[in-house]
Structure formats: C-alpha cells, structure tokens
Amino acid sequence: MTAASLPRRRSRFSLTGTLAAVGGAFLCGILVVRLQLPMLERINLGELENAEARKNRNIALANTLGWLGYRNLGASWLWLELIQYYGDAAARTLTGYGLAYDYFDHMLRLDPHFFLGYRLSSLVLAYRAGQPEKAVEILDRGLQQFNPQNNPDAWRLYVDRALLNFMFLGDPEAGRTDYYQAAAWREQVGLPGDEFRQLGDNIARSPLSRRAQFDAWLSVFNSTTDRDTRLFVLEQLAQLGTVLQTLPTGEIEILPPPLPDFPDEEPYRLRL
C-alpha cells in the first residue's frame, strides 16, 4: 500500500509569528458567524460593491502603514483581510476574485519573507481567480527570496510553479524544469530528489495523459498541509482516478489511472 507523505512545515517568518496570537481567534469568529448566518439571504449587490470599495481603501491604508515604517503591521492586516475575502464564498460567487492579486501583491511587498503567502497564491489566484500568470508572477518573487540555505521548504515553490506551467499554462517543458529544480533543492536539504525528476520526465513525454495529470496533482497534495488546498486537489484526483473507499482512519483510498507496465498498482491512501 502506498502512503502519501504529510510533510511538516516550519514557520519562522515575521508575519506568521505576528498572527500566532490573533489569527486563530479571528478565523474562528469568521467561521462561527458564517455557519450561523446564510450569506446569500443577507447580501445585496449594492452592499457588495460598497464592500469592494472599502477593501480597496484598506489595501491603500495598509500600504500607508508600510510607508510609515509599520510594514509587518500592514502586511498582517492585509493577510487577515485576504482570509476574510477568500472565505466569503457567497460574495465571491457574485463579485469574483478581482481583488485577490492586489492582496497578495501588496502584502508580499510589505513582508516579502512570508512564505505561506507565496504558497497560497496558487490556490487563490490560479484555481479560484483563474489568473495562473499572476500566480506564477507571485511565485517567481518568492523564489527570489527563498532558497535551501534560508528555508528548507523552498523547493515546494518549484512544485507549485511546475503544476501551473503544466496544467494551466500548457508548458510541460517549463514544468519539467521546475520539477528538476525542486529535486535539486530537496537534495540540498537531505531529501531524495529522483522522484521529482522522474515526474518531470513523465509529464514532458505525455502531458495530456490522465496519469500525468494525476501525478502532477498528487505532487501538490504531498507538498502541502493546507486543508483548503488539499480538498481542492483531492477533487481533481478523484476526477482522474477512482475513489475506492474512506477508511475508519479517515484516509481515502484512491486508485490512480493505470500504467501499461503496472496494471496491478495498489491504491494511494490520502489523508486531509
């Protein structure tokens, strides 16, 4: 039985530390309110347009804090605003994700060392907002900030960019290059890299095959512990493979599209 690994992520940067005390309580409050109040029953378009205008003003105010020397405070404010913006599914259905890039752009200019912000840009900008080019731009900025010497998880940014190049931008050669770079950076921190080189080669040979797509999504599933990202990726894996069962342990057994040379391959066990 093949088990998908669950990597541990280490948070060492200023913005993540800033939110340690406040973020959990803030998020819990948002979730409780949304569970109790059906959003679609209390929204009207005029209110949403006013809310979008207020969010634009808040982005400008956060930048002003940065100019005054309070960069981390401004970045933390934008992060909390982004969480609320992204989590308001009913409003996003009506108005879309037009401000998502502005949030990431200004937040990461104020705190360019916020690793989690770069990683979540793919989920929000490419998968939700339909702006993969913007997501690649944000990831490129992250790759200028991080490397194996200052963050042992830096290789994950290349995995994220590989999927964007392969699945969204139709550039399997760029995807293979990214997987090769991810492999090299993994080896620099004592992790095996050959699996990612093989994945890059397989994708470049047959970029449109269901198995190549399954393997690319699986690489993202294994490289993140963010629940929203994993739920989204699991939906893609289920469409490409065959979900067999949910085990009492909470793991989901999913059989990948078959390989000609391995018709009896065992299913993966994935845990959210």
Side-chain angles (χ1 to χ4, degrees), residues 174-194:
R176 173 162 63 178
T177 299
D178 285 339
Y179 280 125
Y180 265 65
Q181 189 61 53
W185 279 17
R186 280 173 59 88
E187 289 168 347
Q188 289 185 42
V189 295
L191 298 173
D194 284 344

Side-chain angles (χ1 to χ4, degrees), residues 3-61:
S5 60
L6 293 177
R8 299 178 61 186
R9 181 170 59 221
R10 304 195 310 192
S11 298
R12 305 184 304 161
F13 304 107
S14 56
L15 183 51
T16 305
T18 302
L19 296 176
V22 233
F26 185 86
L27 285 174
C28 287
I30 293 173
L31 290 173
V32 168
V33 170
R34 291 202 176 119
L35 287 172
Q36 293 175 341
L37 296 174
M39 291 292 292
L40 287 174
E41 293 181 1
R42 59 189 180 90
I43 283 179
N44 67 59
L45 193 54
E47 289 175 351
L48 284 177
E49 290 173 349
N50 290 334
E52 296 287 293
R54 284 195 300 272
K55 292 180 185 302
N56 259 320
R57 289 195 295 271
N58 288 344
I59 291 173
L61 287 172

Side-chain angles (χ1 to χ4, degrees), residues 96-164:
Y97 292 83
L99 292 178
Y101 172 76
D102 290 333
Y103 276 120
F104 281 105
D105 179 39
H106 293 286
M107 176 180 69
L108 293 171
R109 291 185 190 280
L110 289 168
D111 187 357
H113 302 294
F114 181 31
F115 186 71
L116 180 60
Y118 294 104
R119 294 225 60 208
L120 290 184
S121 67
S122 293
L123 172 66
V124 179
L125 295 177
Y127 309 152
R128 302 302 189 192
Q131 298 176 321
E133 297 89 351
K134 296 291 188 182
V136 168
E137 177 193 325
I138 295 294
L139 288 172
D140 286 347
R141 285 158 54 178
L143 288 167
Q144 294 174 11
Q145 297 293 331
F146 299 105
N147 57 61
Q149 286 68 50
N150 62 31
N151 187 331
D153 288 332
W155 61 270
R156 300 180 191 276
L157 297 178
Y158 273 114
V159 173
D160 294 340
R161 197 175 74 174
L163 185 74
L164 294 177

